[in-house]
Amino acid sequence: MTRVRARIPAWAGRNYVLLTAAAIVTNLGTHGALIAAAFAVIQSGGDGGDVGLVAMARTLPLVLFLLIGGAIADRVPRHRVMVAANALNFVSQAVFAVLVLSGEARLWHMMLLTALCGTGQAFFSPAAEGMLMSSVSGEQASRAFALFRMAMSGAGIGGAALGGAMIAAVGPGWVLAIDAAAFAVAGALRAFLDVRHIPERAPGGGLLADLREGWAEVAGRPWLWSIVAQFSVVVALVGAAESVYGPLVARDELGGARPWGLALAAFGVGTLAGAVLMMRWKPRRLLLVGTLGVFPIALPSAALAVPLDVVGLSAAMFVSGVAIEVFGVSWMTALHQEIPEEKLSRVTAYDWFGSTAMVPLSTALAGPAESAFGRSNALWGSAAVIVVVTALVLLVPDVRNLTRRTKQVAGGTGTGTVPGSGTVPASGTVPGSGTAAGPAGTAGASGTAEASGAASESGAR
């Protein structure tokens, strides 16, 4: 026992260890289950439009309930919200698995059950990100987030590869059953989270007042809302490409589920490599470096458009995986650094909402777009738009200028730090000061990981 404790870094407390273990468990199940859901639709006789409808059914309630979930997660103990959401996901995935295994799954069944899963995610995600960010502190936060994401990426590698292989060998139903069991185990782990260090909130003005307060945090930060707007487009396009077109290209051009599972596993390897990189690299201009890392996210869409063989597609997925970790760790560090702890879940909810708001529409229109323009043209168009909107975000001064903070000062929030270089952000404001005059800190795209490689809840699941 002493040896095990000696291997755990001093900054990795009980909550961090439990959150990481639970995320590993769910990622093992989820990466395979997202492939399984698409192939369950195809196996039942569905086409690209049906796959898109099931994907839309998952994301629509996510969009509808995210803001409410964020407000609730800042009001009640976050671990209770997480456990309840895991319980809902367990039930929905278990029923989905039974229907698929029995051969009784119909399109409306699959849409309803994935909608329940999306509802659980809407309440889980803001609570999970707030809980993770409150579990670490100080200058090691960036390393903690990188290690957390690295652990999830490792689980995603195994989950995607195993899921693709299991679908080919025994069908998608058993993969869905494994995902249900993973939710049950993860929920049990999260029940032991300790929230005593989080101060109770004073009674406020109600749910709407909480939402308005969260919106004020977002609206006053140009770099935040500009990147959230960017990712509303990026996540929608990547989500359609990878949840709808990817399985169809795999079926028609690559030989089935196994190659697509390998490609998603390559994405997982890339995120693992990116997390290792970010454990050592601490770029000073967080969001400039992070946004540059968004450009390669267009590569998988381009690879599917050609389409490249499984080796070429896997290479594109690997590079995009590295890139998204560069963005993801920089992004989480900025959130942790700048947003007051008591507002983390609400800000995260707005971030998720903006990042996923267009996904239901994009996945629903993926089939019609394929019919109107052709699959290849739709994918090339997606890649081009991702590049253009990312270039536009770089025109925002606050995105280019937000710097990493290293020196602790009294009275701050988040990590309570100021720029180590002695400079301040363009707004000149101190994080948590109550002002909203400029870039005090967060930038969007919590939904990126899910769309880019079909991961889960921005790595916090």
Side-chain angles (χ1 to χ4, degrees):
M1 186 68 177
T2 304
R3 285 184 180 179
V4 173
R5 287 181 178 175
R7 294 175 183 174
I8 299 175
W11 45 260
R14 170 183 171 178
N15 281 359
Y16 180 85
V17 172
L18 285 172
L19 288 167
T20 303
I24 289 172
V25 170
T26 44
N27 265 8
L28 280 169
T30 298
H31 277 259
L34 289 172
I35 310 171
F39 279 91
V41 177
I42 295 171
Q43 180 179 282
S44 70
D47 56 15
D50 294 330
V51 174
L53 286 174
V54 173
M56 179 195 69
R58 178 184 176 87
T59 53
L60 186 59
L62 174 63
V63 172
L64 292 176
F65 294 115
L66 264 172
L67 298 183
I68 297 174
I72 290 175
D74 276 340
R75 276 183 167 268
V76 303
R78 290 172 180 146
H79 70 306
R80 294 182 184 175
V81 179
M82 297 165 70
V83 171
N86 283 166
L88 176 60
N89 288 149
F90 160 70
V91 172
S92 63
Q93 289 296 79
V95 174
F96 196 172
V98 169
L99 289 175
V100 172
L101 288 170
S102 66
E104 297 298 324
R106 302 292 181 265
L107 181 61
W108 73 268
H109 292 152
M110 293 184 279
M111 291 180 66
L112 174 62
L113 293 168
T114 53
L116 289 175
C117 199
T119 301
Q121 183 182 339
F123 286 88
F124 177 91
S125 299
E129 290 212 8
M131 196 73 202
L132 176 63
M133 291 179 193
S134 70
S135 71
V136 296
S137 62
E139 296 182 14
Q140 297 299 325
S142 179
R143 178 170 294 181
F145 298 144
L147 180 60
F148 179 85
R149 294 172 71 97
M150 182 171 66
M152 290 192 315
S153 297
I157 294 167
L162 182 62
M166 286 189 64
I167 292 168
V170 297
W174 287 108
V175 179
L176 294 167
I178 290 173
D179 190 39
F183 276 118
V185 173
L189 289 172
R190 287 162 177 149
F192 290 99
L193 290 168
D194 185 357
V195 297
R196 287 176 297 178
H197 68 288
I198 301 175
E200 292 187 13
R201 287 188 59 204
L207 188 64
L208 290 179
D210 284 350
L211 292 175
R212 285 195 297 268
E213 192 175 72
W215 173 247
E217 288 289 327
V218 175
R221 308 171 191 270
W223 60 271
L224 169 54
W225 56 256
S226 64
I227 291 184
V228 171
Q230 170 203 9
F231 272 85
S232 69
V233 177
V234 171
V235 174
L237 294 175
V238 174
E242 296 188 3
S243 65
V244 180
Y245 296 137
L248 295 176
V249 171
R251 180 195 67 183
D252 297 340
E253 306 289 345
L254 302 179
R258 188 188 298 269
W260 183 234
L262 290 174
L264 290 178
F267 175 87
V269 174
T271 60
L272 183 62
V276 171
L277 170 66
M278 295 306 289
M279 285 188 70
R280 297 179 176 274
W281 183 32
K282 295 183 178 180
R284 180 171 173 271
R285 293 187 181 272
L286 287 168
L287 297 182
L288 174 61
V289 171
T291 301
L292 290 174
V294 178
F295 285 104
I297 298 177
L299 290 176
S301 294
L304 289 169
V306 174
L308 297 181
D309 61 16
V310 66
V311 174
L313 176 60
S314 296
M317 295 287 277
F318 173 83
V319 173
S320 68
V322 173
I324 200 57
E325 284 304 297
V326 172
F327 173 83
V329 174
S330 300
W331 159 244
M332 293 184 75
T333 303
L335 277 174
H336 179 266
Q337 172 179 291
E338 303 291 350
I339 298 299
E341 192 281 332
E342 71 275 10
K343 298 179 183 178
L344 277 171
S345 290
R346 278 169 288 171
V347 169
T348 297
Y350 276 105
D351 166 27
W352 266 87
F353 178 80
S355 298
T356 59
M358 292 178 62
V359 174
L361 181 62
S362 70
T363 52
L365 292 179
E370 179 183 14
S371 300
F373 307 110
R375 187 186 300 164
S376 180
N377 288 336
L379 285 163
W380 279 120
S382 295
V385 173
I386 290 171
V387 170
V388 170
V389 297
T390 302
L392 290 174
V393 167
L394 289 175
L395 299 177
V396 179
D398 295 340
V399 172
R400 301 194 304 270
N401 296 333
L402 182 67
T403 56
R404 181 184 298 272
R405 300 163 186 262
T406 57
K407 293 183 180 179
Q408 188 170 8
V409 293
T413 55
T415 59
T417 56
V418 295
S421 63
T423 61
V424 292
S427 67
T429 60
V430 176
S433 64
T435 63
T442 53
S446 287
T448 312
E450 180 184 341
S452 298
S456 55
E457 288 115 69
S458 186
R461 184 181 174 189

